[in-house]
Amino acid sequence: MPRFRFHDQLDELLRPDLRGRAFDWRSAENATAKHAIEALGVPHTEVGRLLVDGRVAGLGHLLREADELDVFPADASRPTPDEPPPRFLADAHLGGLARRLRLLGFDTELARDAPDRLLALLADVDERIVLSRDRELLKHRRVARGRYVRARSTDEQLREVLGHYGLRGNMRPFTRCLECNAPLRRTDRAEVSDRLPPRVAAEQREFTLCTGCRRVYWPGSHWQRLRSLVDSLCDTSRDALPAQAPTPQSPMSTPDPPARDHPPQLGRLYDDFVVGDRYAHWPGRTVIESDNSWFTLLTMNTHPLHFDAAWSATQEFGKPLVNSLLTLAIVTGMSVRETSQRAIANLGWEQVRLTAPVFVGDTLYAHSVVIAARRSRSRPGQGIVSVRTTGTNQHGTPVIEFERSFLVACRSAGAGD
Ligand SMILES: [Zn+2]
């Protein structure tokens, strides 16, 4: 029977009677090391080095009767202060932790009610570290990086995550929306006055606005408490906070903010785009047979590989391929809400590359990174934004990549919301 020994902090994930010692464990027939380790309660995301009989092995190692396994914890890679910090996806039970991480400026999506399969896919496509107290989610094969959060109280969870990932040098407090995770930007009273309680409008001078949900923040009565929390987490004094952190702004100061109207909202203006920002597009889109046939014939493309299944069966892939211009159209469409929904004009695609075939029944997902933003020289008050968009299939394989530029108005030139 294979013999296991779990080292260092992996030990605490085991049943109490298995801790602190080597033990024999009967696993299922043809089980891999991953199967057995996870059956013992340790998600693969927790595992770093694995030794079998003293030799380095992978989690796919097929267990043999006399194997002796030494399982060591994964080391978290720690960003330097100049590097972008990691991004997180917190499971639905860690809402308090997600808000705390956002308070400190860390990009943290909060998983709502969705199956593990979709959460794993989201984390994979968006390169997020999954934070969870649900071991089943962390065992999902598509979750590449994750942490089983040991602590139970929110403040302890926050300290655990900051410590484990070495994030204290990367905090940018009060730069991200606590509710929706989008970045905040400074604004003035005139822009938000219609959404402020009268007393706040009269007394406060500094406001920040969420670039996602448009929530307005100002230094309020909660400020002191949150400020104290931030200070207690910083190794340095308040004065030594990173220079790019704006003047401390705090979340909604009233415990029960007044009901607010949400007028229709359409897309982003030039000022909302920051080079390096990344947008995940959601939901995905499954391509069905009629999409492919209709699109191909509608656009007068005569290649039978897109609409003749019998003939396609004799060709290299053995089945019809999705028309690549349909893939381009769908992935572009998926990106519009977060990128060009408010554009004046689409300026073009460049560097379109088809990196893997798409078949009928595949589901497309996409994300975009802002790669350039500059003011237009010939059109005052407008700017040109370029994004690099990647479409992947349901297995996470990139199938298309392209760069796209669009012309969009600047808020500072009078374009309103
Ligand atoms: Zn928001």
Side-chain angles (χ1 to χ4, degrees):
M1 191 175 329
R3 169 164 278 242
F4 292 82
R5 183 175 187 105
F6 287 80
H7 293 261
D8 304 322
Q9 69 264 39
L10 289 184
D11 210 36
E12 66 205 35
L13 299 176
L14 298 172
R15 262 177 19 209
D17 60 311
L18 298 178
R19 293 177 190 165
R21 63 186 181 89
F23 57 88
D24 295 335
W25 178 266
R26 166 84 49 210
S27 55
E29 211 169 316
N30 294 324
T32 61
K34 177 180 188 292
H35 286 132
I37 288 169
E38 294 194 328
L40 284 160
V42 181
H44 71 272
T45 50
E46 298 289 320
V47 177
R49 202 158 49 108
L50 171 68
L51 300 182
V52 179
D53 299 334
R55 285 218 274 276
V56 175
L59 286 171
H61 170 80
L62 274 178
L63 289 180
R64 297 163 304 200
E65 195 63 18
D67 278 348
E68 293 209 6
L69 292 91
D70 282 281
V71 189
F72 295 86
D75 286 327
S77 62
R78 295 169 172 234
T80 66
D82 302 329
E83 269 180 318
R87 296 174 314 164
F88 298 103
L89 174 72
D91 83 31
H93 304 293
L94 295 176
L97 174 62
R99 288 172 61 91
R100 288 279 196 267
L101 285 167
R102 292 170 181 171
L103 174 68
L104 298 178
F106 297 109
D107 180 346
T108 307
E109 289 295 344
L110 179 61
R112 304 289 175 194
D113 286 336
D116 286 357
R117 181 173 52 82
L118 285 182
L119 296 180
L121 182 72
L122 266 180
D124 186 15
V125 166
D126 213 16
E127 294 176 11
R128 290 179 184 275
I129 294 174
V130 176
L131 301 173
S132 183
R133 283 188 54 79
D134 171 4
R135 297 187 204 209
E136 294 310 309
L137 172 58
L138 294 170
K139 290 176 184 176
H140 197 285
R141 65 181 172 79
R142 286 202 67 167
V143 176
R145 292 190 299 162
R147 165 90 180 163
Y148 177 75
V149 178
R150 274 73 160 173
R152 289 176 182 273
S153 81
T154 300
D155 286 348
E156 284 307 309
Q157 289 169 348
L158 182 61
R159 286 173 200 281
E160 177 185 330
V161 171
L162 294 180
H164 183 71
Y165 291 104
L167 299 176
R168 286 174 198 276
N170 303 79
M171 293 193 279
R172 296 185 62 211
F174 304 113
T175 57
R176 198 166 278 279
C177 180
L178 301 190
E179 300 302 325
C180 81
N181 191 43
L184 303 179
R185 67 170 174 81
R186 283 172 187 259
T187 184
D188 54 32
R189 184 160 36 197
E191 189 181 352
V192 296
S193 58
D194 58 333
R195 278 178 276 166
L196 299 175
R199 204 169 62 98
V200 171
E203 291 176 1
Q204 299 292 334
R205 294 183 179 282
E206 297 192 5
F207 302 93
T208 48
L209 178 67
C210 172
T211 56
C213 70
R214 320 301 286 174
R215 181 174 289 254
V216 182
Y217 292 83
W218 61 86
S221 57
H222 292 340
W223 180 86
Q224 205 58 44
R225 189 169 60 80
L226 291 172
R227 185 77 249 178
S228 303
L229 173 73
V230 169
D231 287 347
S232 75
L233 293 164
C234 293
D235 292 329
T236 50
S237 71
R238 178 188 312 185
D239 293 335
L241 281 174
Q244 66 269 36
T247 317
Q249 307 282 310
S250 94
M252 280 292 189
S253 66
T254 46
D256 296 306
R260 292 167 302 132
D261 289 334
H262 293 275
Q265 199 177 308
L266 188 68
R268 291 182 164 81
L269 293 170
Y270 176 81
D271 315 55
D272 300 324
F273 291 98
V274 176
V275 173
D277 274 4
R278 183 183 160 106
Y279 294 105
H281 310 305
W282 185 257
R285 166 73 153 79
T286 305
V287 185
I288 59 174
E289 190 176 1
S290 57
D291 293 335
N292 196 31
S293 295
W294 284 28
F295 182 89
T296 302
L297 299 171
L298 186 73
T299 54
M300 300 182 72
N301 180 331
T302 56
H303 201 311
L305 195 52
H306 303 311
F307 50 80
D308 182 335
W311 184 81
S312 299
T314 69
Q315 301 301 301
E316 168 151 358
F317 295 105
K319 52 186 172 180
L321 282 176
V322 170
N323 184 318
S324 51
L325 285 165
L326 175 58
T327 307
L328 176 66
I330 290 176
V331 172
T332 299
M334 288 169 68
S335 74
V336 165
R337 186 175 60 188
E338 285 79 25
T339 61
S340 59
Q341 195 170 39
R342 216 161 161 190
I344 297 161
N346 191 27
L347 299 179
W349 290 260
E350 288 181 87
Q351 311 282 345
V352 181
R353 297 198 314 125
L354 305 167
T355 49
V358 178
F359 301 106
V360 166
D362 280 354
T363 303
L364 297 170
Y365 296 92
H367 60 270
S368 297
V369 177
V370 180
I371 55 173
R374 67 168 177 84
R375 293 277 190 143
S376 167
R377 282 183 285 272
S378 57
R379 293 168 159 258
Q382 299 178 4
I384 296 169
V385 175
S386 301
V387 296
R388 181 182 297 115
T389 299
T390 304
T392 66
N393 64 18
Q394 67 277 21
H395 307 299
T397 305
V399 296
I400 189 170
E401 286 176 0
F402 54 82
E403 294 175 10
R404 186 165 70 96
S405 299
F406 48 90
L407 186 68
V408 61
C410 304
R411 180 175 286 104
S412 48
D417 291 311

